[in-house]
Amino acid sequence: MSTQVHANLTRDQVEQISEQLGEPEWLLETRLEALEALDDLEMPDVIRTPGRDWTNLDALDFEGFVDPLNAAQDKERESAEGIEVLEWSDAVAKHGDLLEEQFGSIVDPEENYLTALSTALFTDGTVVYVPEGVDAEDVKIRTTMNSQSLFNYTLVVTEQNASVTILERQSTGDREAGSASDASVDGERYYSGIVEVAAGENSHVQYGSLQNLDDETYNYTLKRGTADTYANVNWIEANMGSRLTKSEVETTLDGDGSESHIVGAFFGHDDQHFDINSRVWHRAEHTTADLVTRGVLDDSARSVYEGVQDVGRDAWNTSSYQRENTLMLSDDSEADASPKLIINNHDTEASHSATVGQVDEQDLFYMTSRGVDPRSARNMLVEGFFVPVLEEVAVDELRDDIEELVAERLRE
């Protein structure tokens, strides 16, 4: 049965968004086709474990808070020498051919209900274009959401022998009426972010994201990349905020010798819910992947994690590894994990593991017996629990921000 939640969405709204952004006819048609497809599309697949569906996306009241023509945000973009970091309207005018070639080539606009909704309604986008041979760092995209709903799209294209490091942040603005950003928003919000990364031959993309939306915001993010021959696509995905997060991070290793590393961290409290997916598809020879995720849950927070390593028939000499660990600080928190290996080529070295547990009582006893008070001891153990993930974060600024948010959460 399809999900009927778009009675307040119209063709006129989509046409108005497209006109404001100066989009060509092909892109408007793509938007309108996505809008029309909503009748027949389901919500994204959620992680299921025996006897339980952990995440209920159908329960969200989209009609109550999706308001595409009143999108408001504070957006900051910082570029680097030799590359282009463009807002959507500028990218449409300057790189129309590139957009026509790449838009929707990695994430199908009609893959599910939420991708189609985002395609039809996104009001802001960023295009990062890295020409051949350029090595760029310190590209930053900061989004502060100041409206009931916000749909963002990001496209990253690197040419041969190029390199780029991108740091993205999402947060919500002050809810107080009369603020400079006019962010007097009450009740639930919805944030959607779609990211496509096309990494050319022998190029390197490091994409770090830190999500710290407020506890009334529902969050759907889909980040997907393709790696050409000898290319690297590395993701860092940190989720600290939101009421409910559905996060999917995926890489397809299409080229021989390509690699992908996915690093994830989350910290839930109160009644937060995290539905986290990390997936790698090995489709060429001599490919390598490493998936590392660590999460902490307190109060009545919940998480479910799925990691997939899919090795295709032609993926000779594959190396693929996966580790996921969740630490629960409360008897009322819940966590589950579903690591998966799908191997269709015998020339493969692969492993996967997942653990769920509580703070070790012996470690606590050891520390308190040496004069550390119980709360400080627990906090030190939690901070230490994140160290194996933080050591994988190559972006200093992002690592520092994650450490600061973890420490702040522990002080609450």
Side-chain angles (χ1 to χ4, degrees):
M1 180 181 295
S2 63
T3 307
Q4 302 289 336
V5 294
H6 57 279
N8 63 327
L9 304 179
T10 68
R11 181 185 179 96
D12 287 344
Q13 289 175 323
V14 174
E15 290 176 342
Q16 185 173 336
I17 293 170
S18 187
E19 182 180 1
Q20 289 173 346
L21 294 171
E23 294 178 343
E25 187 67 24
W26 69 264
L27 189 47
L28 172 59
E29 287 302 316
T30 301
R31 287 181 180 271
L32 292 174
E33 289 169 3
L35 180 69
E36 293 171 3
L38 292 176
D39 280 328
D40 301 315
L41 294 173
E42 302 290 341
M43 285 291 182
D45 291 336
V46 297
I47 303 169
R48 295 178 171 86
T49 53
R52 182 168 187 182
D53 289 353
W54 281 76
T55 306
N56 182 8
L57 295 176
D58 294 283
L60 303 186
D61 179 22
F62 284 91
E63 284 192 47
F65 54 89
V66 172
D67 189 6
L69 295 183
N70 289 309
Q73 64 178 327
D74 293 324
K75 192 86 164 188
E76 297 179 42
R77 297 177 179 89
E78 293 184 19
S79 186
E81 185 178 355
I83 74 170
E84 296 180 80
V85 180
L86 304 172
E87 62 178 282
W88 188 248
S89 56
D90 291 340
V92 167
K94 191 171 183 179
H95 290 293
D97 291 343
L98 179 69
L99 295 184
E100 188 168 7
E101 176 187 356
Q102 297 290 350
F103 183 85
S105 64
I106 302 172
V107 177
D108 182 355
E110 298 175 24
E111 179 171 323
N112 58 56
Y113 183 89
L114 294 183
T115 60
L117 192 70
S118 183
T119 300
L121 302 180
F122 78 89
T123 54
D124 186 76
T126 301
V127 173
V128 180
Y129 174 64
V130 189
E132 181 177 348
V134 174
D135 185 2
E137 296 183 0
D138 297 326
V139 174
K140 298 173 184 176
I141 306 169
R142 301 183 184 92
T143 303
T144 303
M145 177 181 179
N146 296 325
S147 54
Q148 206 81 44
S149 61
L150 189 63
F151 297 85
N152 265 289
Y153 171 80
T154 303
L155 172 65
V156 180
V157 178
T158 57
E159 300 292 354
Q160 186 175 358
N161 301 322
S163 177
V164 65
T165 298
I166 300 168
L167 175 54
E168 178 193 23
R169 292 182 178 85
Q170 306 99 28
S171 60
T172 39
D174 191 347
R175 288 180 178 271
E176 293 181 5
S179 65
S181 58
D182 195 26
S184 55
V185 178
D186 295 322
E188 299 171 333
R189 305 192 196 191
Y190 176 64
Y191 178 87
S192 173
I194 306 295
V195 178
E196 294 186 290
V197 172
E201 181 179 347
N202 199 39
S203 68
H204 182 279
V205 178
Q206 173 102 335
Y207 198 106
S209 178
L210 176 55
Q211 179 270 119
N212 194 30
L213 300 163
D214 73 12
D215 58 9
E216 289 296 310
T217 302
Y218 295 90
N219 173 42
Y220 175 67
T221 56
L222 173 55
K223 299 180 174 72
R224 187 173 294 164
T226 60
D228 204 339
T229 304
Y230 298 118
N232 285 26
V233 176
N234 298 333
W235 305 95
I236 305 165
E237 181 80 352
N239 286 290
M240 298 294 170
S242 83
R243 172 181 292 184
L244 183 151
T245 283
K246 170 67 172 171
S247 169
E248 302 181 65
V249 180
E250 305 179 2
T251 306
T252 300
L253 299 174
D254 281 328
D256 292 349
S258 56
E259 298 184 16
S260 183
H261 298 266
I262 302 176
V263 178
F266 61 88
F267 194 154
H269 70 158
D270 295 335
D271 62 349
Q272 285 183 279
H273 181 102
F274 296 104
D275 186 307
I276 306 291
N277 301 78
S278 296
R279 303 185 181 107
V280 174
W281 315 98
H282 296 266
R283 294 295 178 259
E285 298 181 9
H286 311 292
T287 57
T288 302
D290 192 20
L291 285 62
V292 183
T293 298
R294 288 208 167 193
V296 172
L297 300 174
D298 203 353
D299 305 320
S300 59
R302 301 171 302 282
S303 75
V304 59
Y305 165 88
E306 180 184 72
V308 176
Q309 301 147 275
D310 188 300
V311 180
R313 294 184 182 276
D314 297 325
W316 300 93
N317 191 24
T318 292
S319 299
S320 192
Y321 310 99
Q322 179 186 168
R323 304 176 301 284
E324 195 277 338
N325 308 96
T326 304
L327 182 65
M328 297 186 295
L329 305 181
S330 163
D331 291 337
D332 294 323
S333 59
E334 296 182 77
D336 207 344
S338 178
K340 297 177 181 178
L341 283 173
I342 305 170
I343 299 178
N344 294 297
N345 187 305
H346 64 82
D347 187 18
T348 298
E349 181 178 303
S351 66
H352 69 297
S353 65
T355 64
V356 175
Q358 295 180 321
V359 174
D360 191 286
E361 291 296 331
Q362 289 186 341
D363 290 341
L364 276 176
F365 176 77
Y366 176 85
M367 297 178 71
T368 55
S369 67
R370 281 153 179 77
V372 182
D373 68 88
R375 184 177 179 85
S376 296
R378 187 202 70 160
N379 291 355
M380 291 170 66
L381 290 171
V382 171
E383 291 173 337
F385 176 78
F386 277 113
V387 167
V389 163
L390 294 173
E391 288 178 342
E392 299 281 343
V393 179
V395 183
D396 293 341
E397 182 178 344
L398 179 56
R399 184 172 58 250
D400 293 343
D401 287 347
I402 295 172
E403 289 179 332
E404 182 179 338
L405 286 173
V406 169
E408 181 180 314
R409 179 66 54 85
L410 290 170
R411 291 194 297 267
E412 292 178 354

